[in-house]
């Protein structure tokens, strides 16, 4: 096997899922920041074997097991990238607004991508998925552009607890809206969703009414079955934050 076989495998996969080399590299870079935007082109131009960790990130970005590309390169049985690890792939399925209620967005399958995350911890046995955070109402915890990993409360087998960061959804006719907030459970049985923001615009909570009415169990992001107008859907369990610039004062 050679680099040419690897490139053929990559090109065939990109054609199957309908994305460009550059877009694939952008997705891989979100998994492994050391992947360059011209990663595939540089392989072709230089005709040299890429590093295993970068190739594994590209494989996840195009929805392939890392073994597939490493095997195409002829090194699938020996690379340390294939040794047992404490990382697991997590699918980024859509976006959630950290602000006012906003239409719930589930990305088309071709725009969904995979990131890696620690596999251990108390939520290791629960299905997780990722949501891209948009907006500034939670910027004290999750800046715009953060990817949060969430677990549905239906998979946890419990409801939200006071102080947890959650994804709440509500229906407005046929439309589904979602928001990301911190839940407050009060002694009178009422529930509130609080922003955590430096922006004065986002300081007012959303009142949900009874916590019992706000908790429903759904198997998937985007379920539109009958039920109350507002539900607390999922718990945020991990976050992948963008790196910004330091503000000199």
């Amino acid at each position: 096997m050679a680099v040419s076989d690897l490139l053929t495998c990559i090109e065939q996969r990109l054609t199957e899922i309908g994305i460009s080399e550059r877009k694939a590299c952008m997705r891989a870079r979100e998994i492994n920041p050391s992947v360059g935007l011209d990663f595939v082109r540089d392989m072709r131009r230089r005709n040299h074997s890429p590093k295993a960790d970068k190739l594994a990130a590209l494989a996840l970005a195009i929805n392939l097991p890392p073994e597939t590309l490493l095997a195409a390169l002829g090194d699938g049985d020996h690379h340390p990238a294939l040794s047992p690890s404490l990382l697991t792939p997590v699918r980024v399925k859509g976006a959630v607004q950290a602000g006012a209620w906003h239409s719930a967005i589930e990305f088309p399958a071709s725009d969904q991508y995979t990131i890696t995350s620690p596999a251990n911890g108390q939520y290791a046995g629960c299905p997780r998925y990722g949501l891209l955070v948009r907006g500034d109402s939670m910027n004290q915890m999750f800046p715009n552009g953060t990817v949060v990993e969430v677990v549905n409360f239906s998979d946890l087998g419990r409801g939200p607890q006071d102080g947890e960061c959650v994804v709440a959804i509500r229906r407005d006719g046929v439309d589904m809206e979602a928001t990301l907030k911190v839940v407050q459970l009060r002694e009178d049985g009422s529930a509130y969703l609080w922003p955590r923001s430096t922006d004065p615009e986002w300081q007012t909570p959303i009142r949900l009414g009874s916590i019992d009415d706000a908790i429903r169990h759904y198997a998937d992001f985007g379920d539109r079955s009958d039920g109350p107008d507002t539900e607390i859907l999922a718990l945020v369990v991990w976050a992948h934050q963008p790196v910004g610039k330091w503000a000199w004062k």
Side-chain angles (χ1 to χ4, degrees):
M1 295 289 184
V3 174
S4 60
D5 299 298
L6 171 63
L7 289 168
T8 297
C9 181
I10 293 171
E11 290 165 3
Q12 290 175 345
R13 182 57 179 168
L14 294 179
T15 300
E16 288 175 2
I17 62 177
I19 66 171
S20 66
E21 288 183 1
R22 191 170 182 84
K23 187 167 186 178
C25 292
M26 291 173 65
R27 292 181 180 180
R29 192 170 188 170
E30 292 173 344
I31 299 171
N32 182 345
S34 67
V35 176
L37 295 180
D38 296 319
F39 178 57
V40 177
R41 189 186 72 174
D42 288 344
M43 272 193 282
R44 183 181 298 107
R45 180 165 54 90
R46 298 171 184 172
N47 194 35
H48 70 83
S49 299
K51 292 185 177 179
D53 60 332
K54 295 182 180 181
L55 193 58
L58 178 64
L60 292 173
I62 58 177
N63 306 326
L64 288 177
E67 300 95 310
T68 301
L69 295 188
L70 291 168
L73 187 60
D75 221 356
D77 296 329
H78 306 290
H79 254 304
L82 298 182
S83 60
S85 70
L86 296 179
L87 295 179
T88 187
V90 175
R91 192 75 173 158
V92 180
K93 298 173 62 178
V96 64
Q97 189 77 14
W101 292 105
H102 198 277
S103 295
I105 299 173
E106 185 166 1
F107 297 152
S110 60
D111 290 335
Q112 295 182 12
Y113 56 95
T114 302
I115 58 177
T116 55
S117 183
N120 55 356
Q122 59 181 315
Y123 306 109
C126 298
R128 287 181 283 176
Y129 55 95
L131 298 172
L132 176 65
V133 178
R134 293 176 175 169
D136 294 322
S137 80
M138 291 292 291
N139 65 8
Q140 289 183 321
M141 297 176 67
F142 310 121
N144 182 52
T146 297
V147 172
V148 292
E149 291 179 31
V150 303
V151 174
N152 287 346
F153 282 107
S154 58
D155 293 315
L156 288 174
R158 68 168 178 85
Q161 298 174 2
D162 187 56
E164 290 183 327
C165 186
V166 300
V167 175
I169 60 173
R170 74 175 182 181
R171 277 178 293 275
D172 183 9
V174 297
D175 295 325
M176 177 80 72
E177 298 177 321
T179 190
L180 178 71
K181 295 288 184 291
V182 173
V183 65
Q184 180 189 33
L185 308 180
R186 297 187 177 180
E187 292 182 359
D188 63 2
S190 61
Y192 290 79
L193 297 175
W194 281 89
R196 285 292 178 262
S197 178
T198 58
D199 188 337
E201 181 180 355
W202 303 116
Q203 303 297 323
T204 304
I206 299 170
R207 191 180 190 281
L208 296 182
S210 168
I211 185 60
D212 293 331
D213 292 337
I215 302 171
R216 297 280 292 186
H217 296 321
Y218 290 101
D220 232 336
F221 182 61
D223 190 302
R224 298 190 179 205
S225 56
D226 292 336
D229 289 339
T230 303
E231 299 112 22
I232 296 177
L233 175 72
L235 172 69
V236 176
V237 299
W238 199 265
H240 304 257
Q241 297 189 359
V243 178
K245 296 181 179 180
W246 179 259
W248 296 103
K249 296 182 180 179

